[in-house]
Amino acid sequence: MENSQMRVCNGAIIVFLLLFSTTKANYLSLVNQFMAPQNAARAANRMPPLVWDERLAHYAHWYANQRREDCALTHSNGPYGENIFWGGGDGWMPADAVAAWVSESKWYNYWSNSCAGGQECGHYTQIVWSSTKRVGCARVVCDGGKGVFITCNYDPPGNFIGERPY
């Protein structure tokens, strides 16, 4: 191979590696946006951290893509626990969705094992469900400016009626 061809080849490899490492860094940043606040909520209740699961992330991504056209807040009814989020515009990030879910903790009463009247707290209890070990999540910007759809899937699932999350 000529020297100039070798330089072009090496240059292409370097560009590929830079793009790959940037993509990987962006992916890890996205994963961290999902994981850090959920694991902080679990730590506040002395729960072990959730572990990122690629199989669950693949499922979440598959389902989020089903919602890309309509951005409807509709659950997948799959085999996992699931939190879903919708926000108008295209700027909503994973940390925003998780913050909304975790903020429901203010409505959860452990002693009565219920949400305050008329309030939602099931997203929070899924995050801190004691037997849940793994999570995978996805974010899509919906078509036609319909907003952002974000979902997390949990395994094993939680939120069983009559059971406390921890």
Side-chain angles (χ1 to χ4, degrees), residues 75 83 100-108 114-125 159:
H75 283 279
N83 283 345
W101 298 332
V102 169
S103 75
E104 294 176 1
S105 65
K106 66 182 170 261
W107 306 119
Y108 178 68
S114 64
C115 303
Q119 300 298 325
E120 176 69 44
C121 65
H123 300 101
Y124 166 72
T125 55
N159 283 344

Side-chain angles (χ1 to χ4, degrees), residues 4 8 21 30 36 38 42 47 56 62-63 72 80 83-84 87 105-107 125 131 149 159:
S4 63
V8 169
S21 64
L30 193 70
Q38 292 188 83
R42 290 177 67 85
M47 305 298 304
L56 292 170
W62 168 82
Y63 184 65
Y80 309 112
N83 283 345
I84 58 176
S105 65
K106 66 182 170 261
W107 306 119
T125 55
S131 62
F149 183 87
N159 283 344

Side-chain angles (χ1 to χ4, degrees), residues 2-128:
E2 287 183 30
N3 228 4
S4 63
Q5 287 177 318
M6 186 176 276
R7 277 194 297 262
V8 169
C9 183
N10 286 341
I13 290 170
I14 290 169
V15 168
F16 171 77
L17 291 173
L18 286 172
L19 288 172
F20 178 75
S21 64
T22 302
T23 301
K24 186 173 181 183
N26 289 340
Y27 179 74
L28 293 175
S29 172
L30 193 70
V31 168
N32 190 52
Q33 285 185 51
F34 281 117
M35 297 299 291
Q38 292 188 83
N39 282 332
R42 290 177 67 85
N45 289 292
R46 297 194 238 346
M47 305 298 304
L50 296 171
V51 174
W52 185 260
D53 185 289
E54 285 297 327
R55 179 178 48 91
L56 292 170
H58 178 76
Y59 179 86
H61 187 70
W62 168 82
Y63 184 65
N65 278 325
Q66 305 305 305
R67 298 274 60 93
R68 188 181 295 273
E69 286 184 27
D70 61 11
C71 226
L73 272 176
T74 304
H75 283 279
S76 70
N77 297 315
Y80 309 112
E82 186 172 68
N83 283 345
I84 58 176
F85 172 92
W86 172 83
D90 62 4
W92 296 93
M93 297 305 292
D96 300 316
V98 177
W101 298 332
V102 169
S103 75
E104 294 176 1
S105 65
K106 66 182 170 261
W107 306 119
Y108 178 68
N109 182 307
Y110 179 82
W111 305 112
S112 66
N113 191 31
S114 64
C115 303
Q119 300 298 325
E120 176 69 44
C121 65
H123 300 101
Y124 166 72
T125 55
Q126 175 59 81
I127 290 169
V128 298

